Amino acid sequence: MNLPEKYLASMKEMLGDDFESYLNSFDDTRLYGLRVNNLKISTEDFLKISPFKLKPIPWIENGFYYEEDDKPAKHPYYFAGLYYIQEPSAMTPANVLPINKGDVVFDMCAAPGGKSTELAAKLDNTGLLITNDISNSRTKALLKNVEVNGDNKICVLNEDPKQIKDRFSEFFDKILIDAPCSGEGMFRKDNKLIKAWEKTGPEVYAEIQRSVIMSGAEMLKPGGMMLYSTCTFSKLEDEETIKYLLTNRDDFELVDIKPYEGFSHGFEESDSDKEMNISKTVRIFPHKMEGEGHFVALLKKKGELDPDNNIHFVNPGFNNKVPKEVTDFLDSFNFDYDSKYINIRGTYCYLVSKYMQEEKGLRIIRNGLLLGEIKKNRFEPSQALAMALKLKDYPNVIDLDVNDERVVKYLKGETLDCDDFTDVKNGWVLIGVSGYPLGWGKFNNGQVKNKYLAGWRWM
């Protein structure tokens, strides 16, 4: 691998005697990881049905290494949202940030959504997760991933954080910033990043990171926690960014991260660094752990959150008249909702978190759970609603065995013959695999007209 001389010199200075071990790690076999979605299934239950050769990631409770020939992205359980494919070290930030049920959380630079899906699982459909990315094209993947995950207390934004920091001043209990970076920690995984580094190096990204982390500081409540992470080794982007925040905001302090064998401390190079406790930050090096390069820092905004009065904004609700066909459908099965938080936009219906601010002035990709669409006095439920349900919640279900060839046919958008399901009634039917929803169909005398979302189909 043709690594730039400037990069090699900086790594040699940083690592000293460990430099050769780091270079030797480029010869190691690439690692692949998946993280179990505990919003849908416990880790224990997933291991009972997993068809893959899995090995635990020691510092991630629901993370596992898989073998390349497993191909988990081509398995029905992936389409059911039972796990998310993610590089092992990249699982660390969302794992480290402590989330309590009922928190209002911001994932500031979220696409494609791996960290958001874990934050949502920790929230367990309580509170609110606002997940954001500045790139409009990348938010499309972000939206799909959080919907496959089954999240229903979400808002997906497409904003520059510095443009909305005043709108959300001291609004969030927790913030995760997986900042845009030069990607040095991923050179081993994807050597195309080397050319990008040569064009846009740490100096460019450091300016972006300082803007982003200072915006996060404005949006965090006193007593709240903020997690900053990158997938680069550059001190300019890592320790120096944290020092920039602590120098300019004396209301922030670093917090200890639970140690794990192989974690390295951040570099302290001066008395000022020691006063700031920079060694509390964590570095992951590929020659010391089974993962790519990562940097993680956990910060607290001084003050205390009052558990009896958490000062969450509460939306008074919407003045929409919810059509009867919508409430009739939602009332026909086990689905907990408050009709005053159903927002009608055009023909589409959304169930919005009561903690979400007004939409006006925000570039919103999705606010709340898309329930479905009203079409000529009938209601058509959405793919997102199907993924947010449990099979036991809906009265009309076709649950297929994972080895049934009709599972893949359904995911490809084909019509199904299901006359062996004699208890199923004509009308909307929730299609599942091994007890977990995949999407909707229309059942009529033994046949299922496929309603699986076209953009999600098995290719």
Side-chain angles (χ1 to χ4, degrees):
M1 188 174 292
N2 189 20
L3 294 166
E5 287 299 323
K6 182 180 177 182
Y7 169 72
L8 289 171
S10 69
M11 292 301 292
K12 188 171 185 178
E13 180 185 1
M14 179 187 295
L15 294 173
D17 293 341
D18 277 353
F19 179 64
E20 289 300 323
S21 296
Y22 167 67
L23 287 184
N24 291 337
S25 73
F26 280 85
D27 296 327
D28 295 341
T29 303
R30 178 179 166 180
L31 298 167
Y32 298 86
L34 65 80
R35 178 179 41 74
V36 180
N37 177 12
N38 292 150
L39 187 60
K40 288 181 177 281
I41 186 171
S42 70
T43 303
E44 294 74 18
D45 285 345
F46 177 75
L47 291 175
K48 292 175 185 176
I49 64 172
S50 168
F52 311 126
K53 298 179 282 291
L54 300 178
K55 172 187 163 186
I57 299 172
W59 70 99
I60 306 292
E61 298 86 350
N62 55 337
F64 296 87
Y65 300 102
Y66 67 88
E67 297 185 10
E68 186 176 4
D69 59 3
D70 279 333
K71 301 191 184 316
K74 279 289 189 181
H75 194 281
Y77 292 158
Y78 178 70
F79 290 80
L82 301 192
Y83 52 85
Y84 185 90
I85 296 170
Q86 192 172 28
E87 191 280 314
S89 292
M91 299 179 191
T92 309
N95 181 270
V96 166
L97 182 61
I99 300 293
N100 300 316
K101 290 183 180 181
D103 277 348
V104 175
V105 182
F106 190 29
D107 189 356
M108 191 182 294
C109 311
K115 296 169 181 67
S116 287
T117 55
E118 175 65 2
L119 296 174
K122 286 182 169 184
L123 283 170
D124 195 21
N125 285 325
T126 65
L128 169 65
L129 172 64
I130 298 183
T131 180
N132 172 74
D133 203 90
I134 196 171
S135 167
N136 182 265
S137 60
R138 284 166 56 83
T139 54
K140 295 175 183 175
L142 171 60
L143 174 61
K144 177 186 175 183
N145 284 325
V146 295
E147 289 190 334
V148 170
N149 199 60
D151 311 338
N152 68 29
K153 299 289 193 305
I154 61 160
C155 176
V156 181
L157 295 183
N158 172 214
E159 291 281 4
D160 182 338
K162 68 184 179 184
Q163 300 298 328
I164 60 169
K165 60 183 175 60
D166 292 336
R167 178 73 177 268
F168 291 100
S169 178
E170 297 192 344
F171 186 81
F172 297 102
D173 301 297
K174 309 288 166 56
I175 294 177
L176 191 148
I177 303 173
D178 186 43
C181 71
S182 61
E184 294 173 354
M186 296 294 158
F187 284 178
R188 192 177 72 148
K189 174 185 172 186
D190 185 357
N191 59 21
K192 293 190 293 294
L193 293 171
I194 297 172
K195 287 187 177 180
W197 184 92
E198 291 174 323
K199 291 181 180 178
T200 311
E203 293 78 12
V204 173
Y205 282 104
E207 286 190 30
I208 297 170
Q209 292 151 359
R210 292 179 182 194
S211 172
V212 166
I213 201 169
M214 293 300 285
S215 295
E218 294 285 339
M219 291 187 270
L220 189 67
K221 292 178 183 177
M225 306 281 277
M226 183 164 69
L227 190 291
Y228 174 85
S229 67
T230 73
C231 58
T232 194
F233 298 123
S234 165
K235 293 179 185 177
L236 184 62
E237 300 178 72
D238 294 341
E239 287 92 347
E240 292 298 323
T241 299
I242 298 303
K243 287 157 66 174
Y244 180 83
L245 171 71
L246 296 177
T247 299
N248 288 279
R249 296 289 305 238
D250 60 6
D251 55 342
F252 275 80
E253 59 188 355
L254 281 162
V255 177
D256 287 316
I257 293 172
K258 182 180 178 181
Y260 173 75
E261 183 181 357
F263 280 180
S264 299
H265 294 294
F267 292 100
E268 287 185 341
E269 299 175 336
S270 67
D271 290 340
S272 175
D273 292 355
K274 291 177 182 177
E275 288 175 10
M276 293 181 184
N277 294 308
I278 297 300
S279 66
K280 288 187 176 183
T281 64
V282 165
R283 283 177 168 272
I284 295 175
F285 289 107
H287 62 286
K288 293 187 175 183
M289 297 182 70
E290 292 187 311
E292 305 303 328
H294 236 78
F295 174 84
V296 181
L298 183 60
L299 299 129
K300 181 181 179 183
K301 193 172 189 176
K302 294 175 184 177
E304 295 298 330
L305 290 172
D306 183 347
D308 297 321
N309 180 21
N310 215 6
I311 324 173
H312 285 142
F313 169 86
V314 177
N315 191 312
F318 301 96
N319 293 319
N320 300 307
K321 179 175 172 54
V322 182
K324 187 174 184 297
E325 53 268 33
V326 177
T327 54
D328 282 351
F329 183 87
L330 297 177
D331 291 342
S332 69
F333 61 99
N334 183 25
F335 185 67
D336 184 25
Y337 72 98
D338 184 339
S339 62
K340 75 178 180 181
Y341 291 109
I342 293 180
N343 189 17
I344 312 293
R345 298 181 65 185
T347 58
Y348 291 94
C349 305
Y350 304 85
L351 182 63
V352 178
S353 167
K354 67 180 181 180
Y355 300 127
M356 181 60 196
Q357 285 195 7
E358 293 181 6
E359 297 182 353
K360 188 177 180 181
L362 293 172
R363 288 189 290 178
I364 290 176
I365 303 298
R366 174 83 81 244
N367 186 14
L369 173 66
L370 174 60
L371 297 173
E373 186 176 8
I374 304 162
K375 293 184 174 181
K376 296 180 180 178
N377 297 320
R378 61 185 173 83
F379 179 69
E380 187 164 307
S382 74
Q383 180 71 40
L385 176 60
M387 301 308 290
L389 296 177
K390 294 179 171 58
L391 281 189
K392 64 182 178 61
D393 293 334
Y394 195 73
N396 212 30
V397 167
I398 291 177
D399 187 18
L400 300 168
D401 183 83
V402 68
N403 296 310
D404 192 318
E405 64 179 11
R406 289 175 292 188
V407 173
V408 174
K409 285 185 176 182
Y410 175 73
L411 293 172
K412 288 182 175 180
E414 299 176 15
T415 299
L416 304 183
D417 290 319
C418 292
D419 51 9
D420 50 324
F421 287 85
T422 55
D423 293 336
V424 176
K425 299 175 183 177
N426 289 344
W428 286 105
V429 61
L430 188 57
I431 308 294
V433 58
S434 303
Y436 299 93
L438 290 172
W440 299 104
K442 266 300 197 60
F443 188 81
N444 185 32
N445 297 325
Q447 276 207 327
V448 175
K449 183 178 180 181
N450 202 308
K451 294 290 184 177
Y452 190 68
L453 191 62
W456 292 16
R457 287 178 184 169
W458 184 299
M459 302 297 288

